[in-house]
Amino acid sequence: MENNKLIIGNMKMNLTLKEVKEYIKQIEPDKNFYVCPPSIYLSYFNDSGYNTGIQNVSEFDMGAYTGEISAIQAVSMGVDLVIIGHSERRMYLHETDEIINNKVKKSLLSGMDVILCVGETLEEKEQNNTKDKLNKQLIEDLKNLDKEDIKYVIVAYEPIWAIGTGKIPTNEEISDISNFIKQVVNNMYGLEPKVLYGGSINDTNIEELNNIDSIDGFLIGGACLKPDKFKKIIETVDKK
Ligand code: 13P
């Protein structure tokens, strides 16, 4: 890798097969970035040489859980990492911290890196409760792990009010929160995790965001769906 920053594209529930085939023609796979497509398209991306992640896994191992995909199955498809605890799953699919903790454990056991998403609502931010919220999420979502496991956990700070809104925290705020997250996990396990920022990143604001030294990378939603924009983001991060 030219830079040490991780770049991960979360495609969420977007793209048809036709669009996936078009996408693959427009952006060359590169070791400097990962894509997390809807899981039905994973083999298209894997077979084309991309680093891939999955957007969710089951909290169960295997068996009679219709519609679910296990961590073991994801690994068997060549998937390197998993996004767990995204705010959209917490809000719309009612994932609790207990479920998220189970998913983290299953994923680590199966050998995937875990991207654990945490973040506060606008109301929590306005009431100065951001750190309390993040502290609670980190303690509950990462409880009962082995110290060694923390090497494979990456925390993505995604303020809910910044996702898909065009609003982003200042570099100082992101830096302060990143250091806070590292400190909380260090207090729990004696190791600091990598921390990513996610929320309304685009090909324009990435230059400024890339100046935050305490951030280890970026989790990108909408902008990763447009190959030209995503390429520009990757190039900007690589340049530094
Ligand atoms: P946007 O980049 O579209 O704001 O989404 C961020 C996100 O939720 C990535 O997981």
Side-chain angles (χ1 to χ4, degrees), residues 120-122 125 157-163 165 167-169 173:
E120 82 284 7
T121 63
L122 185 58
K125 178 183 164 58
Y157 172 51
E158 295 209 314
I160 297 170
W161 53 271
I163 296 177
T165 59
K167 297 187 185 127
I168 52 172
E173 284 172 322

Side-chain angles (χ1 to χ4, degrees), residues 199-232:
S200 291
I201 297 172
N202 59 39
D203 52 338
T204 309
N205 61 26
I206 188 65
E207 191 141 6
E208 180 66 13
L209 289 166
N210 202 30
N211 291 325
I212 311 174
D213 288 334
S214 60
I215 283 290
D216 303 291
F218 303 100
L219 183 53
I220 296 152
C224 85
L225 297 170
K226 305 260 181 303
D228 53 332
K229 287 197 189 329
F230 197 32
K231 265 195 268 188
K232 216 176 139 199

Side-chain angles (χ1 to χ4, degrees), residues 45-88:
F45 285 92
N46 281 332
D47 294 351
S48 304
Y50 291 80
N51 299 313
T52 56
I54 191 163
Q55 296 175 19
N56 174 45
V57 285
S58 171
E59 64 175 311
F60 305 110
D61 278 329
M62 284 268 201
Y65 301 101
T66 301
E68 291 286 271
I69 296 171
S70 73
I72 298 164
Q73 290 172 319
V75 169
S76 78
M77 289 288 290
V79 172
D80 302 309
L81 54 87
V82 54
I83 299 173
I84 298 181
H86 195 283
S87 57
E88 289 151 12

